Structures are given as structure tokens and as C-alpha cells.
Amino acid sequence: MQQVDVAIAGGGPAGLSAALMLGRCCRRVIVIDAGETRNRHAAAIHGFLTRDGTAPADLIRAARADLETYPTVEVRPGMVTQISGMCGAFVVRTAAGEEVGARRVLLATGVTDVVPGIPGLAELYGRSVHHCAHCDGFEYQGQPIGVYGQAAVGVEAALAMLAWSEDIVLLTDGRPLTAPDRALCELQGVRIREERIAGLEGDGGRLERVVFDGGPPLPRAALFIVAGQRQHSELARSLGCEINDQGVVVTDEHEISTVPGVYVAGNAAVGEQLIVVAVAQGVVAATAIHANLWVDDLRERAVTRSRRSHRSNS
């Protein structure tokens, strides 16, 4: 069985960033990547200094090219299905039946957005239907925007979108708002459509209108969805990591989970869900992992040197 210092599940920005830093620390690293990054449907990433507007696939290709400089780092296609063992002696198994022994593991498996099954949405997803206002709101400044969401979270998202446009309509898809939530929207000029959504219509990936079961269609340039998310992988849960009410893994400031030897970085962990943050979290996790491993390494070095000294003196 192949033995490494660190096994990384997930080859998105967080996982590859961690692999880069660990490679610079001369650590033996394997990245096992299923190729299912959260933003694979997006046309571009934003808010990443020097990479603003870059296609997600181009960023991953460039990151992988950087790793080729480091001979101790391997990126392998596959999906991690199970991690067993304990700190210092984990066994990582893939769907193909491969096994890797690892002293530490880093989960960079991300989250999966919940996408409502609205007819026509799939053709527009990632191009004019989005999840993150910080990532994509700027491109629609001053234009008519729809926000899909229910209850307080939908209201909060709709109010937040006012930073980019004054023409915001909250779409509750058949779920009526409470009187206090309705009052909040009315106070800020956010219109509300509570009818069931029959579909989205557009052309060439650009949303044009929202169609309802009853009532007139609603012209919109973009739709932002607030429908929740879930862990993309069950690895963190199966290992016993603490997961909070938002569905992300609880970590400390060094991306250390509640399970010894298990680190979590990127969207799967606590923190702002932006690519630039995921990259930073990967670096933070990598430096923490190296420091933690180095404690063990120094202990082993001391034992080895003591044995050599004993043999040379006997």
C-alpha cells in the first residue's frame, strides 16, 4: 500500500493550494480528485486578485501545472469513499478499490448546492442563474434581478441584493411570507411574487423571464437562488467530525477539525465560501499539517540519533 504524509480528498482550489504548500515542505502528498468542483458550471470566477474573470477550469489547469514542479506531490483521478484508522495511520480507500496509507488527511470535498427543479433552470445555471451575489452580482448591477428563496433566508438574500440593483423581486415559489417578513421587503422596496414558478425562459444561457402558474411573466436579467446546501461527501460525517447547523464542518483557525489528524479546508469548512478564501484555507491547513507532522518527525529523529549514538559508543 502506498504510504504518504498527507492524503487530500478533493482537487479543487483548497485541495490543490494545500498540496502546493505541502510540496514546498517536501511532504509526500497525494490528491485524489473526482473532478466535481462546485463551480464547474460557472462561466468565470470573481473576486480573486489577478484571476478575476478566469474560467474555473483554467484555474484548475494552472494550479495542477504549478504542482508538477514538486516531485513529492501526486494528483490522481478518483473518488475517496472511505477513510479509516487514526491520526498517524489512516487508510484512504477509493471507489476503484485503491488504498493509500496516510499520516494525516485533509478533506477538501466542498459542498453541493441545492438546486430547485424548475423547468428551464438547467440551461441557465451558472450563466445567469447563480448562488453567490459576491461572486456574480456585479455583472447585473442596475438590472432587474430575481431572488429565489423562502421565509427569512429568502428575505435576507433579497435585501442583500439591493447593493447591486434597486429592481429586486423575491420569488417564494408558492410559499407565502409572514407578515413581518413581508413588511421588511415592503419597507426596502423589494417586490414579492408568491405564485408557483412554472419555468424559466431565456436564450443562449441568458435569463429573460420567469413564468408562473398564474399571473403575468416577470422579466429578469438574472436569478439568485437561496435553497441551501449539503456536504458533497459523507467522509467528514463518517469520521465523526462536528458539523454545524449550516451543514459545514466545524474547524478552528488552523482548519483543524474535532477529529485528531483530520483537517478540512474550502467550502466544506467554516468560513466565507469564496474561491480566494478556499485557496487561503488550503495554505493555512497545509502549514498546520506540516507543523503537526514535524513534531512527530523531531521525536523520531531524536530516537534515531540516540540509537546511532548508542551503537557507535558500544
Side-chain angles (χ1 to χ4, degrees):
M1 182 168 58
Q2 181 181 2
Q3 298 290 330
V4 298
D5 291 316
V6 186
I8 301 176
L16 295 178
S17 175
L20 175 65
M21 186 56 65
L22 287 165
R24 294 192 58 79
C25 295
C26 303
R27 291 295 180 187
R28 295 165 298 155
V29 181
I30 185 168
V31 180
I32 302 174
D33 179 35
E36 298 178 352
T37 54
R38 181 186 187 185
N39 65 351
R40 63 189 180 277
H41 299 291
I45 62 174
H46 295 289
F48 192 151
L49 195 64
T50 77
R51 296 294 181 268
D52 195 53
T54 300
D58 290 343
L59 179 69
I60 295 299
R61 277 193 290 270
R64 288 193 173 202
D66 286 346
L67 293 179
E68 292 175 1
T69 304
Y70 301 93
T72 60
V73 177
E74 175 188 357
V75 180
R76 180 186 301 177
M79 178 177 291
V80 177
T81 55
Q82 183 183 24
I83 300 176
S84 59
M86 62 184 68
C87 183
F90 290 105
V91 177
V92 178
R93 296 178 177 86
T94 71
E98 301 169 318
E99 292 188 349
V100 177
R103 299 168 64 191
R104 304 290 187 274
V105 295
L106 170 63
L107 304 182
T109 46
V111 295
T112 298
D113 293 301
V114 176
V115 180
I118 300 173
L121 187 150
E123 293 80 6
L124 306 171
Y125 190 53
R127 303 180 68 181
S128 54
V129 175
H130 309 282
H131 288 277
C132 175
H134 291 96
C135 301
D136 298 292
F138 179 83
E139 281 63 43
Y140 304 99
Q141 57 179 314
Q143 300 182 53
I145 298 172
V147 175
Y148 178 99
Q150 286 92 29
V153 292
V155 172
E156 181 181 359
L159 295 179
M161 285 303 309
L162 290 169
W164 289 271
S165 174
E166 290 294 322
D167 187 355
I168 304 297
V169 179
L170 174 61
L171 314 175
T172 69
D173 198 16
R175 291 187 59 183
L177 293 177
T178 64
D181 284 340
R182 179 178 293 278
L184 282 174
C185 290
E186 292 174 350
L187 178 65
Q188 297 296 339
V190 171
R191 290 184 287 152
I192 303 165
R193 292 289 296 269
E194 294 181 328
E195 306 100 310
R196 291 283 297 178
I197 298 174
L200 305 180
E201 296 180 351
D203 183 59
R206 311 311 303 176
L207 175 66
E208 294 178 349
R209 65 188 65 83
V210 181
V211 180
F212 302 90
D213 283 342
L218 176 70
R220 294 290 94 180
L223 178 66
F224 284 80
I225 299 173
V226 185
Q229 62 185 29
R230 61 180 181 273
Q231 287 285 315
H232 184 69
S233 167
E234 289 298 313
L235 291 172
R237 199 179 304 276
S238 67
L239 283 164
C241 297
E242 181 183 350
I243 298 177
N244 66 17
D245 293 339
Q246 285 73 50
V248 293
V249 181
V250 175
T251 59
D252 69 4
E253 66 272 19
H254 302 295
E255 312 306 329
I256 302 171
S257 78
T258 53
V259 176
V262 177
Y263 299 72
V264 186
N267 290 344
V270 171
E272 292 295 329
Q273 293 187 344
L274 299 168
I275 290 180
V276 67
V277 175
V279 169
Q281 287 182 337
V283 172
V284 171
T287 55
I289 290 170
H290 173 67
N292 189 247
L293 285 169
W294 192 239
V295 173
D296 292 349
D297 293 343
L298 287 177
R299 187 182 301 113
E300 182 63 28
R301 283 168 60 92
V303 171
T304 301
R305 288 175 62 84
S306 178
R307 288 173 179 169
R308 289 175 179 171
S309 177
H310 178 73
R311 283 198 299 267
S312 63
N313 294 329
S314 59

